[in-house]
Amino acid sequence: MDELHFNTAIAKLIELNNAVTKLDATPRDVAEPMVTMLAPLVPHIAEELWRKLGHGSGRDDGGTITYVDFPVADPSLLVDDTVELPIQINGKVRSRVSVAADADKATIEAAALADPKVIEALAGGEPKKLIVVPGRMVNVVV
Amino acid sequence: MSDTNIDSQSGSSIDTPEHRYTSALAQDIEVGWQDFWAENGTFHTPNPVGALADPNRTEPLGEKVFVQDMFPYPSGVGLHVGHPLGFIGTDVYSRFKRMTGHNVLYTMGFDAFGLPAEQYAVQTGQHPAITTNANIANMRRQLRRLGLSHDMRRSVSTTDPEFYRWTQWIFSQVFNAWYDDSPDVDGARPISELIEMFESGERCTPDGTPWADLSAGQRNVIIDDHRLAYISEAPVNWCPGLGTVVANEEVTSDGRSDRGNFPVFKRNMRQWMMRITTYADRLIDDLELLDWPDSVKNMQRNWIGRSNGAKVDFASDAGPISVFTTRPDTLFGASFLVLSPEHPFVDQLADPACTPGITEQIAAYRTQAEGKKEFELQDDTREKTGVFTGAYATNPVNGEPVPIWIADYVLMGYGTGAIMAVPCGDTRDFDFARKFDLPIPAIQEPPASWFEERDLDVTLDTRQWPEAFVGDAPYVNSTNEHLQLDGLVNKVEGIAVMNAWLERAGVGEATVNYKLRDWLFSRQRYWGEPFPIVYDADGNPHSIPDSMLPVELPETDEFAPRTFDPNDAMSNPESPLDRLDNWMNVELDLGDGMQTYRRDSNVMPQWAGSCWYQMRYIDPLDDERFCAVENEEYWMGPRTDVRPDHPGGIDLYVGGVEHAVLHLLYARFWHKVLFDLGHVSSVEPYARLFNQGYIQAYAFKDEREIYVEAAEVNGNTDEGWTHNGEPVTREYGKMGKSLKNAVSPDEMYEAYGADTLRLYEMTGGPLDSSRPWETRDVVGMYRFLQRLWRNVIDESTGECNVVDTPADEDTLKLLDRFRRPRRDGRAPLQHRHRQADRAQ
């Protein structure tokens, strides 16, 4: 949102809403965060649904979704969203490492260096080169 | 409220469930909530102090965020769906920030002085204020219907006397300031301090005469020469067709007015100027502090045009001829000089005894040059013309005699009015040398690839070169007994070595030059801010005391300046205010007892109000100051917690890239003056700038090249397009009334509702990219909202039908995949991805 790329947020919200449509009934713990996440984009329908969901009549929130907290992700569910990256040692795939899909370079490096095959190949030394392409692969030159 | 809305929604067709999300229901919901927000002041944002303070709210709302759109001109035509793209973007952003613990300042004003309302007044006799206020009311209605979360208490118009009172006050601040360029100050100071320095002798007068020995008139001249707003008899852009002068920035590249497309002529006239040039270095250097698109920063850098070079003196019979060059390293290649036809040395150099007929030749050349306009003179593709004066100067670096020419592409107003020509390294000089068969000594050896591309063997015989070589390459033939460039390969080194030699040899000096000129600040029109200035019997300007502001525009029924034949270059401006004798002559006591003064008949340019409007958003009701210190500091003060060198300013400023050098440069200049004088705590007005894209659309033309209504066109890309059975051609570009492809937001509110329109506009790509408008695609977003509604509401009863059983793991994962991460300092997902991308 800070980068003003609202189109990607919309695409994901449509995907979520489509998934919800397939369910027999809409669970409240999905409906409420979905409505709050849509509120900046489509504030009127969001206000209306929020009210229908039983909120917004109290004085503490001013009767509006405007100042309701934007949903916060549950990190335990985020971690599950992992990818497996191949680890090349001297150009050949020797192992794989699982990291969070959005892991940064440093995290991937640390994970790769903790891999048993890499530890074995390094035999206590430092790698000559460690190349990380996030989302793609790790290349260790020993 | 919501229940009433839905009850009123009973008249739909039998097939449609009573509580389906239809366009009619959407409209009821939207208007209902817009009324609710207005009645409850939902978007009212508290200030730390003053009329809008609410000490109970500032803290709980959290960290401040100041979000602003470039405010619109309230046009009478109304909005089309392309206009609000940026406004929707800032609204989504502001609403998101409110939901993540921020105190958000977000409102919308109107930049309402300007020509269209005045021209309408000229045609109809209706006062521009009436037209303007009606247009503002219509635009406010259209924007309110979009559901924008503005704090309307802060909405201002630059035409409100309570607003322009402060525009005039800031003008007075600029008028009563001077630029102290001493290294320990390097900023604006009040004129009163300059006078004290002259009186005490701390500062010498320009010619050294003690201050006490000068007459009042002489002192005034010296003071006025220092003011940051000053009256100058200077070459200006006179536009007879508009009846007014215009700024350089308002002249198009083909030398016409950007408004009205009339010819513009260079003329000497008495006009108000702003000394923006004193800020040239800071305006360039402080770009480093800004989170702005690089393209806009570069446009400002190029507009200011700072270049390091040298002034070099060529000895001649008329005395040393000074030239400014950005490439002193090429001095060995200077094989002739070109002077402006008006250069003061020309008559002395051209000796009819040596060159018979030269006086007549030069006179004839001057006559034909005067008929040309500046843009023609600067057009490099034009056939080169010139006259050899018969005289020679001496190239200081090698003692060679170089012929002195005159040519009209050298302008007296730029640099010294003379240039050294280095034909081997400059395209224009190369063409000139070829045409007049002048020598072209090679001083650089171009790389082999340069010759290969031109199908040549490597050679330093420039007679074989098809064009000049422009770029870095090893120097050749560039050595004398005190100086060696041969062996060097880049111009930065070359310039440094040459500049050092020039200064040692006493034939030149290193310089910095700028393209930026002082800002022409007066217009001979009616619908603008009057100047807070009066003239005494001797014609000296005095600023009107703050207590007498605003100087309101006088009533009249003649709003037009006198306009002239667009080609009548020698006509003179006559402003509408000039004719109002009762207003022009005024009795005031400015400290010397009651005296008669004459007002200034000019008005300010349309850029004045937009130079500072953000400060009035902050404190719209303050009648003691343009903005309370505490409030400015809270909303715009430097965020040293973000970055030690944070300049302060608005946190997010969204607008079109077309304002890159006009509004954005002027506003930065005024802000810096206000900063220097201690009126604001921020060094820059706009910390982060974001250029939104545009909504583009197809337009259709018939065989007569006339636009037809795009909505009535049938066809497709394979079979072609028709209008009423006639073939038409399709083009892609802007949306607009004149292109007959404008779609009004009102049509979309009626067909789908504002939420659908907002979503459609935001889904077309990142906010900074342009996107096509396709009315038939809007329904996709409408269907999404209908599904959303159905997932929460029973369409037959209108009751909420969600269940309290927990969601399954898969759905929760889908939910959490893109939700905002915790507020515990972890970066948002998207941001971390971006960092990872950059790290690759």
Side-chain angles (χ1 to χ4, degrees), chain B residues 238-249:
Chain B
W238 166 234
C239 180
L242 288 176
T244 185
V245 297
V246 292
N248 289 340
E249 290 85 345

Side-chain angles (χ1 to χ4, degrees), chain B residues 268-315:
Chain B
N268 275 339
M269 289 184 179
R270 260 175 80 82
Q271 296 291 338
W272 280 102
M273 306 291 283
M274 288 235 169
R275 227 179 278 278
I276 190 173
T277 49
T278 53
Y279 282 82
D281 281 327
R282 285 166 66 189
L283 288 170
I284 285 190
D285 296 341
D286 287 358
L287 287 171
E288 299 295 334
L289 307 176
L290 300 176
D291 181 5
W292 283 21
D294 285 337
S295 59
V296 176
K297 289 187 183 183
N298 279 334
M299 280 190 262
Q300 293 218 344
R301 284 192 194 103
N302 291 339
W303 186 262
I304 296 166
R306 179 168 64 188
S307 53
N308 292 308
K311 186 173 77 67
V312 183
D313 293 334
F314 285 69

Side-chain angles (χ1 to χ4, degrees), chain B residues 20-227:
Chain B
R20 172 158 294 177
Y21 185 75
T22 59
S23 59
L25 177 57
Q27 293 212 55
D28 277 350
I29 291 174
E30 289 169 4
V31 172
W33 279 103
Q34 284 155 14
D35 290 344
F36 176 91
W37 295 328
E39 283 158 18
N40 290 277
T42 302
F43 309 121
H44 287 185
T45 299
N47 273 349
V49 301
L52 300 185
D54 182 354
N56 299 323
R57 276 188 76 199
T58 311
E59 266 318 302
L61 285 176
E63 193 183 300
K64 72 93 186 178
V65 178
F66 190 171
V67 181
Q68 182 172 302
D69 293 289
M70 291 188 188
F71 61 168
Y73 176 79
S75 147
V77 184
L79 297 177
H80 62 63
V81 292
H83 290 123
L85 180 69
F87 304 163
I88 298 172
T90 52
D91 185 59
V92 175
Y93 185 81
S94 298
R95 286 176 179 274
F96 172 71
K97 285 292 177 189
R98 286 192 194 97
M99 296 176 80
T100 52
H102 296 89
N103 188 24
V104 180
L105 199 170
Y106 179 54
T107 187
M108 176 71 80
F110 295 92
D111 192 14
F113 277 125
L115 275 184
E118 183 179 299
Q119 279 166 347
Y120 187 73
V122 169
Q123 286 156 19
T124 62
Q126 175 161 299
H127 196 281
I130 297 173
T131 318
T132 302
N133 290 337
N135 292 349
I136 288 177
N138 183 47
M139 205 174 254
R140 281 206 171 117
R141 178 191 61 77
Q142 282 189 310
L143 293 176
R144 182 186 197 268
R145 188 61 191 79
L146 204 50
L148 302 178
S149 57
H150 295 142
D151 181 348
M152 291 306 292
R153 301 171 307 169
R154 298 172 183 269
S155 179
V156 296
S157 167
T158 53
T159 50
D160 296 336
E162 310 83 73
F163 181 94
Y164 71 68
R165 165 194 173 167
W166 296 108
T167 312
Q168 292 171 335
W169 178 83
I170 296 171
F171 175 88
S172 302
Q173 295 294 312
V174 179
F175 175 74
N176 285 311
W178 62 291
Y179 202 91
D180 184 346
D181 58 9
S182 61
D184 50 332
V185 180
D186 194 27
R189 299 174 65 179
I191 282 286
S192 56
E193 294 179 13
L194 177 73
I195 296 172
E196 280 166 25
M197 288 165 80
F198 280 136
E199 280 171 349
S200 70
E202 186 188 340
R203 192 179 172 94
C204 291
T205 58
D207 69 353
T209 314
W211 190 249
D213 297 346
L214 295 172
S215 69
Q218 288 169 317
R219 289 176 187 177
N220 275 336
V221 169
I222 293 173
I223 293 166
D224 289 348
D225 274 349
H226 284 79
R227 294 183 187 276

Side-chain angles (χ1 to χ4, degrees), chain B residues 25 83 161 191 215 279 395 526 530 589 663 673 707 781 809 815:
Chain B
L25 177 57
H83 290 123
I191 282 286
S215 69
Y279 282 82
N395 186 334
Y526 176 76
D589 184 349
H663 158 57
V673 178
Y707 288 101
M781 288 299 128
E809 185 89 342
L815 185 68

Side-chain angles (χ1 to χ4, degrees), chain A residues 2 12 15 17 21 26 28 37 40-41 43-45 47-48 52 67 69-70 73-74 77 102 105, chain B residues 2 33-34 37 42 97 99 688 755 758 791 798 802-804 816-817 819-820 823 829 832 839:
Chain A
D2 272 324
K12 288 171 177 175
E15 199 186 327
N17 188 56
T21 306
T26 307
R28 177 174 293 274
M37 285 189 289
L41 291 154
H44 312 90
I45 191 174
E47 290 273 26
E48 192 72 13
K52 293 276 189 187
Y67 297 97
D69 275 350
F70 201 82
D74 177 347
L77 289 159
D102 56 319
K105 235 176 161 162
Chain B
S2 48
W33 279 103
Q34 284 155 14
W37 295 328
T42 302
K97 285 292 177 189
M99 296 176 80
R688 180 181 178 197
D755 280 338
R758 291 168 61 106
N791 280 339
V802 301
V803 293
D804 285 323
D816 273 302
R817 202 160 55 80
R819 273 202 279 175
R820 206 179 129 265
R823 272 188 216 163
L829 282 182
R832 287 157 71 199

Side-chain angles (χ1 to χ4, degrees), chain A residues 4-6, chain B residues 85-86 89 654 690-693 762 765-769 771:
Chain A
L4 288 85
H5 291 181
F6 305 128
Chain B
L85 180 69
V654 175
F690 189 94
N691 295 128
Q692 91 276 8
M762 289 301 101
L767 193 61
D768 49 0
S769 68
R771 72 272 327 265

Side-chain angles (χ1 to χ4, degrees), chain B residues 113-115 236-239 242 244-266 272 303 518-525 603-608 658-659 661-663 666:
Chain B
F113 277 125
L115 275 184
V236 295
N237 305 299
W238 166 234
C239 180
L242 288 176
T244 185
V245 297
V246 292
N248 289 340
E249 290 85 345
E250 295 168 296
V251 181
T252 60
S253 57
D254 58 351
R256 300 176 80 90
S257 56
D258 64 350
R259 284 191 172 274
N261 197 32
F262 293 115
V264 171
F265 301 90
K266 276 272 178 228
W272 280 102
W303 186 262
D518 278 344
W519 175 17
L520 173 72
F521 197 72
S522 39
R523 300 291 184 276
Q524 292 71 51
R525 306 214 67 100
V603 295
M604 299 185 200
Q606 78 257 34
W607 311 105
E658 68 273 17
H659 294 292
V661 287
L662 291 154
H663 158 57
Y666 297 150

